[in-house]
Amino acid sequence: MEDKIVVKGLNLCFDTHHVLKSIDLNIRANEILSIIGPANSGKTSFLRTLNRLNDIISTVKITGEILLDGIDIYKKDILLPWLRRKVGMVFALPVPLPRSIFENIVYGPRLNGVTSKAKLEELVEKTLKAAFLWDEVKDRLHLSGTKLSGGQQQRLCIARALALEPEVILLDEPCSGLDPLSTSRIEEALYELKKQYTIVLVTNNTKQAARVGDNVAFFLMGEMIEYGSTEQIFTVPHDKRTEDYITGRFG
Amino acid sequence: MYRLISVMLILMVGMGCARNNVETINIAGSTAFQPFAEKLAEEFMAVHPDVRVNVQGGGSAVGIQSAQSGVVQIGMADIVTLPKEAEGLNSIVAAKDAIVIIVHPTNKVDNLSLQQIQDIFSGRLNNWAELGGEKGEKGEKGENKSITVVSREEGSGTRDSFHDMLLKGVQLSPHALIQNSTGAVRLMVQSDPSAIGYITHGVVTPDVKAIAIDGIAPSPENIHAGKYNVVRPIFLLTKGELKGKAGEFIDFILSPQGQKIIADNGLLPVK
Amino acid sequence: MKYRENLIQIGLLLTALSTIAILFLIALFILHEGLPIILKVGIKGFICGSHWSPQQGHFGIFPMIIGTVWITIGALLVSLPLSLSCAIYLSEFSTTKVRAVLKPVIELLAGIPSVVYGFIGMVVLFPMVRNYFGGTGPCILSAAIILGIMILPTITSIAIDSLQAVPYSFREGSLSLGATRWQTIRMVILPAAKSGILSGIILGVGRAVGETMAVIMIAGNSVIIPGSFLDPVRTLTANIALEMNYATGDHRQALFATGIVLFIAIIILNIIANTIARRGVEK
Amino acid sequence: MLKPIFYEQVMKRILFIGTAITVFILFFIILYILKNGLPVVDLEFLLSSPKDFGRAGGIFPCIVGTIVLTLVAIIIATPLGVGTAIYLREYTREGRLTSIIRFGTECLAGIPSIIFGLFGFVLFVVYLGFGWSILSGGLTMTFMILPTIIRTSEEAIKSVPASYREVSLSLGATKWQTIIKVVLPSALPGIVTGIILGVARSIEETAVVIFTAGSVLRIPTSLFDSCRTMSVHFYILAREGISMENAYGTAAILIITILLINMFAYWLMHRLMAKYS
């Protein structure tokens, strides 16, 4: 399979704090890559370099190269909205914008210039179905997005990201605040989605990584310690630290 | 030991006396007379260290009301005729005050007739060129400089006196700018080359030019000689005859020494 | 123990009621002093009458109501574009450091006495207005500019606070959906901060309506219904402060009555603000 | 795709220009006053009494007057304001009473200072017979700054996490103990902001002070003495054209005072925040 994203020698500093240390990583198309590791190991920061969301913070310094389909996304003339439409993102805590379910989903496409009502409605239905939310909300699309339950909100955010018709979806611990049922709903959705998209999933839950990931990267203190197929990492990890982490001996 | 006790005793007695003997005189009212009252109070307190004189402004109405209600022992008012509210108050004329008409120092006009003054302040006459003044700063545009009339607020003693003595029933133009203190009128006139206003004679400075009325200039000589007769009284109002230090203060104001202070600072003495 | 807690609760309730008591007292005193003249002249005659010469018995404050309205609108026209762009820029585009320096500086200006603004208006603004627009200097325009500058800090500071109170995740959410920063501001942040910004603006309006000393110094105080923005006007507050010193009898009551009108106007403004704020919460 | 980005650039420029103008105006005002005022400011100006109605001499009595008047206002307003905020946030549920109190506070905040001046004059100076005095001025000023203190304290108390209270209550503390030991310390930075705003307001106010505290230019010796604050002094000097130099000097001192207060507040806030969170 071809490489969708290639990361070469990526370093990231906030002020003097060295958060990511020379990361090299290839992400293949249509796979789910899970990134695991203890808190403060740079997982989220890494994820946010992929759609350049770290750029909002003025003190950040990034060196190295990230290629998306062979294009360096840190090149000067890259348009950030273009990049962020290609690389959708779902956050740890669901953040529906303060507007209706319908408006939440069509927010991105509208900005993109899609105005036809029929097309937007079709898009809403399609994405909500893909996020396994359609049946629960189809009768109240004009309800405020903030009125949904946590699990529903998170699926709404996934649907919203899908409505951009991205190629890559970044998920930052999408199930951290959810109950097991909602979690399994989302995992189910991810499984379906990977047929179409490349997915990068940051998770604190090693079991979840084992369940849904094709490949796993283990981060520790800003370094990538080990990368391999899910099966290999969870059965015969090469590195002692990886083994310690997944067996729960430290964290 | 005895010495210590006696020193303490003396100190205590001294402090007690100081507290007992300090008498406060409150005086409030006319803003026109306020600076003079402050000056007089300063001199009075220099001779009587056991008296504190508090001078407040507030205006003639405040002077009358606060004298009536007993908030102050002495009220000051600078109105030609005292209003109904002042009935029952003892009134003493402490000084007299000339009102002069002022213009910007660059203004070519030196003299106005009574009729012209009435026309200007009522808004019938609206440019300096008609009065022999120069064409406006914006002469290049060929227009004449219009007149900016500056007056005092409704109720002001200075305004009432001005109306009584000069306008004589002619209505003030509604377009006149209104300022609520002598200094403010002067400030307005000195900052606008086309302005005209009126203030008490005592506070005229070189920043503005006082002009003659019907040929009589408001010079100290003319005023003292009674030739320049736009003059109003300044009243001190008390509730009955004042005794004690407040009475002494009034006596001081009326004494030759007090009247000299008044005269030196630009008002007319009554004696 | 229970007894003590109850005592504390009652004490605090009394404290809390003090604001109502004060408001009530103010209303009582001002009504007591001012109502008789309103009843004498008639509400319509007082509010709609355009002739003010209290010593001749004419008590119409319509020109001052118009003057207050014009100056307030003018001040908003001067202030809004500047304060809102300043708030949005500092909150959304500038670095944290610049914001940390400039925001206190802006707040500092809220503490400069209004008389200082008024005086600078007289010294600096009058000659400018005379040279560039004509007129004598004291006029609606000058007053609007100075009041606009005076309410800049209030509106800017509150607007920055409300913009900063919009959760950071909204920004991330919108940006991650491919919106530009400006689109994010326009479509997500401003709507979310709307009620806060509006209450800041209303506070600014309140300050503009209530400002006294600066207005006396720069508005000219003529009792006329202005024909152009170069005409001098008098505001309600200026009317009170100008003439209070010398007023007696009916005249004095009429000034307190002006205060009643002002008081009611402010209460209405507050009811509007309250409704807006509540609508913001419900949303 | 290019259009929104171009649009963003245009908007950013416009906003920047607006910001630049604002900042320019504000700096112009500060620098104008400092430039005209600082030349007359020296230790003598700060510490000596004015002579000749302020034409010469210093402004020491005005500095004392400003401080005393502000202190009176703050000392009365702070317990009232914080108490009200505590009651609104901790002792009652949202209901008709709270909304009435809150509405009253908002209205009080919006009332023009001139009306406070009229009211203070009628009630304290005339009716209660305090005369023009620090007490009359301070009490009137209390009423003016009360809403600010209530509002900021309430916000601060509101933002104390509910879990703090629950923990304290679960450890056996009474409601009042919880408030004193847990809620107020956490809310302190916000309360301090409110007090500082109140101080700034009472320093800058002119009309109210003239109406209620008078303008006697002498060092006050009791609460029933009249005093003149720096703002009033500036107003009288500038308005009556007595002395421009000293007027600007007074204004410069005022600005520096407010600057120092703000800096002190920020410093205090950082310290308190470091201590309690």
Side-chain angles (χ1 to χ4, degrees):
Chain A
M1 257 190 283
E2 57 175 316
D3 287 338
K4 186 74 184 168
I5 298 176
V6 178
V7 180
K8 279 191 238 165
L10 177 73
N11 278 287
L12 181 142
C13 304
F14 289 119
D15 278 330
T16 53
H17 186 50
H18 203 160
V19 179
L20 292 174
K21 297 163 192 164
S22 14
I23 308 286
D24 293 297
L25 182 63
N26 292 4
I27 302 168
R28 290 192 207 113
N30 298 73
E31 74 161 356
I32 297 183
L33 170 70
S34 336
I35 299 176
I36 58 171
N40 284 325
S41 54
K43 302 178 307 249
T44 300
S45 299
F46 173 74
L47 201 65
R48 291 159 64 105
T49 56
L50 298 180
N51 69 348
R52 294 188 57 177
L53 212 52
N54 282 324
D55 291 22
I56 303 177
I57 301 150
S58 52
T59 52
V60 75
K61 229 177 96 190
I62 297 169
T63 56
E65 227 179 4
I66 298 178
L67 304 176
L68 174 69
D69 292 330
I71 301 165
D72 182 359
I73 62 168
Y74 277 88
K75 234 172 33 189
K76 245 196 175 149
D77 53 356
I78 288 292
L79 300 175
L80 292 181
W82 169 82
L83 172 69
R84 289 173 187 156
R85 253 166 236 169
K86 264 182 117 93
V87 183
M89 183 160 185
V90 175
F91 298 90
L93 291 172
V95 272
L97 297 172
R99 46 183 75 198
S100 73
I101 297 173
F102 185 87
E103 288 295 325
N104 257 290
I105 293 174
V106 301
Y107 181 80
R110 278 238 173 98
L111 293 178
N112 218 355
V114 182
T115 48
S116 141
K117 188 134 196 275
K119 201 162 170 205
L120 288 174
E121 275 168 359
E122 184 198 318
L123 199 61
V124 170
E125 185 174 343
K126 194 180 94 187
T127 54
L128 282 175
K129 276 180 175 159
F132 287 91
L133 189 60
W134 177 250
D135 292 332
E136 291 163 54
V137 300
K138 64 183 172 198
D139 302 323
R140 38 182 186 150
L141 289 177
H142 293 281
L143 187 77
S144 170
T146 52
K147 297 256 161 73
L148 296 174
S149 77
Q152 288 172 327
Q153 285 189 6
Q154 194 59 296
R155 276 175 282 151
L156 172 63
C157 291
I158 293 175
R160 193 175 66 185
L162 294 179
L164 292 171
E165 299 177 324
E167 291 164 18
V168 180
I169 300 176
L170 311 174
L171 297 125
D172 184 5
E173 300 175 31
C175 305
S176 58
L178 304 183
D179 62 294
L181 191 68
S182 300
T183 306
S184 73
R185 276 285 173 84
I186 286 175
E187 283 174 10
E188 210 176 325
L190 292 182
Y191 214 74
E192 287 295 313
L193 290 174
K194 82 167 192 178
K195 289 171 191 159
Q196 241 186 310
Y197 308 95
T198 306
I199 296 174
V200 184
L201 170 72
V202 163
T203 177
N204 271 333
N205 180 342
T206 45
K207 292 201 186 88
Q208 183 175 48
R211 280 197 299 269
V212 299
D214 294 311
N215 288 305
V216 175
F218 173 59
F219 277 51
L220 183 65
M221 309 285 285
E223 281 175 85
M224 190 176 78
I225 304 297
E226 192 167 355
Y227 169 82
S229 71
T230 307
E231 210 185 308
Q232 178 250 313
I233 294 273
F234 282 97
T235 50
V236 278
H238 296 314
D239 198 290
K240 179 82 172 60
R241 288 168 290 181
T242 316
E243 192 183 342
D244 286 348
Y245 179 71
I246 54 183
T247 52
R249 247 171 271 163
F250 79 82
Chain B
M1 191 64 196
Y2 279 113
R3 195 180 290 166
L4 190 69
I5 290 175
S6 53
V7 166
M8 280 176 72
L9 266 176
I10 291 171
L11 270 179
M12 277 164 73
V13 170
M15 279 162 72
C17 286
R19 196 167 296 153
N20 287 338
N21 281 0
V22 166
E23 194 176 325
T24 310
I25 303 172
N26 288 313
I27 170 166
S30 160
T31 45
F33 193 61
Q34 187 190 358
F36 299 91
E38 278 170 5
K39 193 87 191 167
L40 286 162
E42 223 170 80
E43 299 283 331
F44 185 70
M45 283 186 288
V47 192
H48 303 352
D50 51 341
V51 178
R52 288 171 64 88
V53 183
N54 289 327
V55 181
Q56 306 278 359
S60 298
V62 169
I64 295 166
Q65 278 163 25
S66 45
Q68 193 70 270
S69 63
V71 175
V72 298
Q73 290 98 315
I74 305 172
M76 305 177 279
D78 53 13
I79 314 174
V80 179
T81 43
L82 286 171
K84 279 204 304 279
E85 281 89 348
E87 270 170 25
L89 287 176
N90 202 4
S91 63
I92 302 151
V93 178
K96 286 192 171 169
D97 178 23
I99 292 174
V100 298
I101 293 179
I102 52 167
V103 294
H104 197 262
T106 58
N107 199 320
K108 290 267 162 58
V109 176
D110 291 314
N111 177 41
L112 290 172
S113 71
L114 192 63
Q115 183 61 44
Q116 283 172 324
I117 291 171
Q118 291 172 355
D119 287 348
I120 290 172
F121 277 88
S122 65
R124 281 199 293 270
L125 238 174
N126 196 24
N127 80 61
W128 284 112
E130 287 176 41
L131 296 161
E134 65 181 326
K135 300 241 174 182
E137 279 173 302
K138 296 189 173 170
E140 62 270 22
K141 283 186 194 164
E143 60 191 339
N144 293 323
K145 202 191 301 184
S146 64
I147 299 177
T148 311
V149 175
V150 186
S151 178
R152 289 291 300 276
E153 77 278 11
E154 183 104 5
S156 143
T158 314
R159 170 170 163 150
D160 287 350
S161 312
F162 179 76
H163 276 245
D164 281 354
M165 294 185 287
L166 289 174
L167 294 194
K168 301 191 202 290
V170 175
Q171 286 286 329
L172 180 75
S173 154
H175 287 267
L177 300 180
I178 306 293
Q179 296 295 312
N180 64 336
S181 80
T182 305
V185 171
R186 190 181 61 200
L187 214 60
M188 215 58 158
V189 172
Q190 80 185 48
S191 69
D192 184 346
S194 58
I196 184 168
Y198 55 90
I199 58 177
T200 105
H201 175 253
V203 296
V204 174
T205 61
D207 298 318
V208 292
K209 185 169 76 171
I211 57 175
I213 299 171
D214 282 329
I216 302 168
S219 63
E221 300 80 46
N222 283 344
I223 296 173
H224 284 282
K227 275 195 200 157
Y228 186 89
N229 59 1
V230 190
V231 170
R232 60 168 167 168
I234 288 173
F235 292 105
L236 296 181
L237 302 166
T238 61
K239 219 172 185 176
E241 282 291 326
L242 282 185
K243 292 182 190 73
K245 295 293 177 195
E248 278 181 41
F249 183 52
I250 289 187
D251 292 342
F252 171 75
I253 294 174
L254 297 175
S255 73
Q257 194 195 351
Q259 292 292 311
K260 188 174 179 300
I261 294 170
I262 287 173
D264 287 349
N265 289 283
L267 284 188
L268 301 179
V270 282
K271 287 181 181 158
Chain C
M1 195 80 117
K2 187 79 195 146
Y3 176 71
R4 201 174 136 228
E5 287 284 309
N6 280 339
L7 212 64
I8 288 168
Q9 176 154 9
I10 290 167
L12 286 173
L13 172 64
L14 289 178
T15 329
L17 288 176
S18 64
T19 53
I20 303 295
I22 293 169
L23 197 66
F24 190 72
L25 263 181
I26 293 178
L28 193 76
F29 269 90
I30 294 191
L31 283 175
H32 176 257
E33 300 279 330
L35 208 53
I37 191 77
I38 295 188
L39 296 177
K40 198 161 129 192
V41 182
I43 293 178
K44 193 163 168 259
F46 187 68
I47 291 179
C48 304
S50 59
H51 190 185
W52 172 266
S53 54
Q55 296 195 311
Q56 274 97 56
H58 299 290
F59 304 98
I61 60 165
F62 190 63
M64 299 161 212
I65 295 178
I66 297 292
T68 305
V69 170
W70 275 122
I71 286 184
T72 307
I73 292 175
L76 278 183
L77 287 181
V78 171
S79 186
L80 279 188
L82 292 178
S83 56
L84 291 188
S85 49
C86 189
I88 295 172
Y89 190 86
L90 287 185
S91 168
E92 306 300 323
F93 287 108
S94 80
T95 60
T96 324
K97 243 181 216 155
V98 172
R99 183 166 65 238
V101 172
L102 281 184
K103 191 166 178 266
V105 172
I106 290 170
E107 280 163 3
L108 171 68
L109 279 143
I112 294 182
S114 50
V115 287
V116 175
Y117 283 101
F119 193 70
I120 289 184
M122 285 183 81
V123 177
V124 180
L125 197 61
F126 281 3
M128 277 163 71
V129 169
R130 263 205 294 272
N131 287 340
Y132 293 113
F133 296 98
T136 53
C139 60
I140 297 181
L141 180 70
S142 308
I145 292 174
I146 287 296
L147 277 188
I149 292 173
M150 279 179 65
I151 61 176
L152 262 183
T154 314
I155 301 183
T156 310
S157 161
I158 293 178
I160 291 179
D161 284 343
S162 343
L163 289 170
Q164 291 280 297
V166 175
Y168 199 67
S169 57
F170 283 12
R171 293 180 178 82
E172 289 185 340
S174 171
L175 289 175
S176 77
L177 291 171
T180 63
R181 281 181 170 211
W182 174 244
Q183 285 167 332
T184 305
I185 292 167
R186 192 165 54 90
M187 301 177 67
V188 179
I189 300 176
L190 282 183
K194 193 176 65 188
S195 70
I197 294 176
L198 265 175
S199 67
I201 293 174
I202 286 172
L203 216 69
V205 171
R207 190 156 180 205
V209 170
E211 181 47 49
T212 313
M213 295 314 235
V215 174
I216 289 186
M217 292 163 100
I218 48 185
N221 308 320
S222 310
V223 190
I224 49 172
I225 293 176
S228 86
F229 63 94
L230 289 174
D231 277 346
V233 291
R234 182 184 294 189
T235 64
L236 292 166
T237 49
N239 192 39
I240 302 174
L242 263 180
E243 300 191 351
M244 202 60 206
N245 280 349
Y246 283 94
T248 49
D250 281 356
H251 186 186
R252 189 179 126 100
Q253 289 188 350
L255 296 183
F256 273 91
T258 314
I260 297 178
V261 173
L262 206 52
F263 188 85
I264 292 172
I266 289 293
I267 302 267
I268 292 174
L269 208 59
N270 265 306
I271 292 175
I272 296 173
N274 243 10
T275 329
I276 290 172
R278 202 173 306 142
R279 214 178 284 158
V281 171
E282 273 163 17
K283 218 176 172 187
Chain D
M1 178 56 69
L2 280 171
K3 214 170 122 199
I5 289 181
F6 171 74
Y7 199 55
E8 174 181 65
Q9 289 303 320
V10 172
M11 280 316 297
K12 194 176 164 182
R13 297 274 146 75
I14 292 175
L15 293 176
F16 179 77
I17 292 169
T19 310
I21 294 175
T22 311
V23 172
F24 169 79
I25 293 174
L26 302 183
F27 272 96
F28 171 81
I29 290 173
I30 295 180
L31 292 178
Y32 185 86
I33 294 167
L34 291 183
K35 182 186 144 263
N36 285 296
L38 282 183
V40 299
V41 173
D42 53 19
L43 209 60
E44 164 104 34
F45 185 72
L46 287 176
L47 294 180
S48 66
S49 282
K51 293 183 193 78
D52 216 5
F53 335 125
R55 198 170 286 142
I59 57 166
F60 187 62
C62 304
I63 295 177
V64 175
T66 311
I67 293 173
V68 176
L69 192 76
T70 307
L71 272 182
V72 170
I74 290 297
I75 288 172
I76 307 173
T78 305
L80 272 182
V82 176
T84 306
I86 293 174
Y87 183 79
L88 286 177
R89 276 291 148 200
E90 304 286 328
Y91 274 92
T92 155
R93 264 185 221 150
E94 294 297 312
R96 181 168 288 172
L97 184 67
T98 56
S99 62
I100 289 175
I101 292 175
R102 226 166 254 137
F103 181 72
T105 314
E106 295 294 319
C107 288
L108 211 55
I111 288 178
S113 52
I114 186 75
I115 291 187
F116 280 102
L118 287 182
F119 167 68
F121 175 70
V122 176
L123 177 64
F124 297 121
V125 178
V126 179
Y127 191 74
L128 293 178
F130 295 164
W132 288 286
S133 62
I134 292 174
L135 193 62
S136 303
L139 285 171
T140 314
M141 204 61 82
T142 299
F143 295 173
M144 281 181 69
I145 62 179
L146 192 56
T148 317
I149 295 184
I150 294 176
R151 205 190 292 169
T152 43
S153 308
E154 216 196 312
E155 286 299 316
I157 292 173
K158 191 166 87 182
S159 63
V160 177
S163 53
Y164 287 16
R165 297 180 184 89
E166 285 157 14
V167 168
S168 170
L169 290 172
S170 73
L171 293 174
T174 65
K175 203 168 188 177
W176 181 242
Q177 287 166 332
T178 303
I179 288 167
I180 292 292
K181 297 241 159 68
V182 179
V183 177
L184 283 187
S186 311
L188 211 50
I191 295 173
V192 170
T193 316
I195 295 174
I196 296 298
L197 285 174
V199 170
R201 177 114 200 238
S202 63
I203 288 181
E204 69 113 18
E205 190 50 56
T206 316
V208 173
V209 181
I210 294 180
F211 272 110
T212 57
S215 57
V216 165
L217 197 44
R218 198 180 315 119
I219 298 173
T221 52
S222 88
L223 283 183
F224 288 95
D225 269 3
S226 165
C227 72
R228 186 186 282 192
T229 64
M230 287 192 272
S231 298
V232 174
H233 193 54
F234 172 86
Y235 176 73
I236 291 175
L237 290 188
R239 189 84 172 134
E240 297 293 340
I242 293 171
S243 163
M244 282 305 128
E245 292 79 31
N246 283 359
Y248 280 123
T250 313
I253 300 285
L254 262 170
I255 288 193
I256 293 168
T257 312
I258 295 164
L259 186 74
L260 288 179
I261 291 173
N262 277 6
M263 272 161 53
F264 174 71
Y266 271 85
W267 173 81
L268 195 67
M269 228 142 82
H270 279 288
R271 259 192 68 142
L272 293 175
M273 281 212 230
K275 200 167 161 194
Y276 290 110
S277 58

